[in-house]
Amino acid sequence: EAGVAQSPRYKIIEKRQSVAFWCNPISGHATLYWYQQILGQGPKLLIQFQNNGVVDDSQLPKDRFSAERLKGVDSTLKIQPAKLEDSAVYLCASSLGQGVGYEQYFGPGTRLTVT
Amino acid sequence: AQKITQTQPGMFVQEKEAVTLDCTYDTSDQSYGLFWYKQPSSGEMIFLIYQGSYDEQNATEGRYSLNFQKARKSANLVISASQLGDSAMYFCAMRETSGSRLTFGEGTQLTVNP
């Protein structure tokens, strides 16, 4: 089966510009996650969707980050305006469900550089 | 408070030898899950192994096994017969039932030497 797809793979922008990332989860996976991974650290959850509803966005900087998952399938994550500290890899993941034992499948990530 | 602690920033092992990567965790939940992921230099996170808190036996998946010591709150990953392709970053993660967020440790960079 096809894995989690993300685009673009790389993006370089200047601070104060805006950027958007796209994610297509594995078919049939109801739960979708966006993570931010700063160099040298583990991934940190930004937002979790169950179908098209938000389950957890407690760590999303809502003054500049937004995310949506229309129709419960694809998702976009937007940063507006970007700051230097937003330079990171943004990982999208999906899983069949939200339970404790459900494995998350990750996409290849988008590497964002803010100059 | 730090939920997942990986105390080894870097580990080295000779090809064909076994290696243990340490992970300790902190939770007050009785039901939780522990995961190990591998992240090669390409960046993709690859699931390796899962251990549920109520599982009585240690999880095994091929060359990977999880040494689960519940009382000590540790979930160490054991890789047997290391291969050059095992060189990567390894992350321990936990999911509690009280919130379904997956929390990752800081990772251990494993290098397998020929």
Side-chain angles (χ1 to χ4, degrees), chain B residues 50-61:
Chain B
Y50 166 77
Q51 178 85 42
S53 59
Y54 290 120
D55 294 341
E56 294 187 355
Q57 303 230 344
N58 286 342
T60 60
E61 288 286 348

Side-chain angles (χ1 to χ4, degrees), chain B residues 1-6 24-27 94 103-107:
Chain B
Q2 186 79 8
K3 295 275 191 177
I4 296 285
T5 303
Q6 295 181 252
T24 57
Y25 60 91
D26 182 29
T27 181
M94 177 176 67
T103 302
F104 287 83
E106 295 293 296

Side-chain angles (χ1 to χ4, degrees), chain A residues 9 33 35 37 40-43 45 48 55-56 58-59 91 97-104 106-108, chain B residues 31-33 35 37 39 41-45 47 50 89 91 95-97 100-107:
Chain A
R9 291 296 311 276
Y33 315 79
Y35 289 88
Q37 186 177 20
Q41 299 181 17
L45 181 72
Q48 176 182 336
V55 174
D56 183 352
S58 58
Q59 300 188 114
L91 295 164
Q98 303 184 77
V100 166
Y102 280 104
E103 172 191 343
Q104 295 184 19
F106 285 79
Chain B
S31 177
Y32 51 89
F35 301 78
Y37 281 85
Q39 189 175 42
S41 56
S42 59
E44 190 161 351
M45 298 285 283
F47 167 75
Y50 166 77
M89 196 74 166
F91 290 97
R95 192 173 210 176
E96 298 167 296
T97 52
S100 56
R101 181 185 311 163
L102 191 62
T103 302
F104 287 83
E106 295 293 296

Side-chain angles (χ1 to χ4, degrees), chain B residues 7-46:
Chain B
T7 57
Q8 306 154 314
M11 286 285 285
F12 294 87
V13 66
Q14 288 298 121
E15 194 177 7
K16 298 178 186 164
E17 291 186 350
V19 63
T20 298
L21 305 183
D22 294 342
C23 173
T24 57
Y25 60 91
D26 182 29
T27 181
S28 55
D29 281 5
Q30 296 302 308
S31 177
Y32 51 89
L34 296 155
F35 301 78
W36 277 92
Y37 281 85
K38 172 184 178 182
Q39 189 175 42
S41 56
S42 59
E44 190 161 351
M45 298 285 283
I46 302 167

